[in-house]
Amino acid sequence: MEPLFGFLAILGVADVDAPALEIPRTTVYSDTGTLVDLGVLERDESQKTHTYTAVPVLLTANLDGAEYTITPTLIEAVGRSSRDQDLGLVLEKHGLGKLAAALTYAIPYVDGGMSERVAARELGVQPAFGIAILQALRDVVLDMRAVDPYFEHVQNARAHPPAENHSE
């Protein structure tokens, strides 16, 4: 469901037949229905081809003992984990909390305020793995910064490091 939500968050309004999704059609229709039911997608039925718009979310959650703000940016990062081996591996091996923590380091890394080696060390993972995660999240940050209305609510590790660092 996350790739569909992120796709719509980036595009704004789209139909679900868009070939860029690279998701089986039955999965798209099933996920679309679920996301509409959850209230995170709005369906416009005024035309023959229905269009959908992502409804931005802003939540706070405790993930692995640290508090994170969940916005469309984190949802997009989770969605990309099915297509990005490094993001998939961080979720599989370390969980959502570590991905959320990595996102907080990706922002100052993208902005030039923190080197990838420092960010990887602070994240508490092997340097090569941390650098790979940061590079994957770089694209998420760059894509979502302009379209996530709550992007400024994503914690920035430069200003406020996650409490769960070095838990590995």
Side-chain angles (χ1 to χ4, degrees):
M1 282 188 273
E2 298 89 358
L4 179 61
F5 181 85
F7 174 79
L8 290 168
I10 290 169
L11 283 183
V13 177
D15 64 60
V16 294
D17 291 326
L21 286 171
E22 299 179 7
I23 303 170
R25 183 177 289 231
T26 55
T27 302
V28 169
Y29 285 115
S30 172
D31 288 357
T32 300
T34 301
L35 291 169
V36 168
D37 291 345
L38 290 171
V40 296
L41 282 188
E42 291 179 346
R43 178 179 15 233
D44 180 354
E45 299 175 356
S46 64
Q47 300 176 18
K48 182 176 181 178
T49 301
H50 299 170
T51 57
Y52 297 85
T53 305
V55 177
V57 295
L58 179 64
L59 305 169
T60 301
N62 188 310
L63 305 172
D64 298 334
E67 192 172 280
Y68 294 95
T69 302
I70 298 171
T71 74
T73 301
L74 180 58
I75 295 169
E76 175 64 8
V78 172
R80 290 189 190 190
S81 70
S82 64
R83 301 181 314 272
D84 185 290
Q85 183 178 1
D86 296 315
L87 295 178
L89 191 58
V90 75
L91 276 175
E92 179 184 319
K93 289 195 160 283
H94 302 283
L96 184 56
K98 186 62 83 176
L99 181 61
L103 183 59
T104 71
Y105 286 99
I107 293 169
Y109 162 66
V110 169
D111 292 343
M114 184 178 287
S115 75
E116 55 192 14
R117 289 208 178 270
V118 168
R121 183 188 69 231
E122 293 297 316
L123 194 54
V125 297
Q126 293 292 324
F129 184 50
I131 290 168
I133 294 166
L134 290 167
Q135 289 174 351
L137 288 172
R138 177 184 183 277
D139 293 335
V140 172
V141 169
L142 292 174
D143 289 346
M144 296 302 292
R145 176 174 269 148
V147 297
D148 179 352
Y150 302 118
F151 186 85
E152 71 277 0
H153 293 279
V154 177
Q155 183 177 327
N156 179 324
R158 189 75 157 157
H160 184 72
E164 58 92 31
N165 292 350
H166 307 294
S167 64
E168 303 307 312

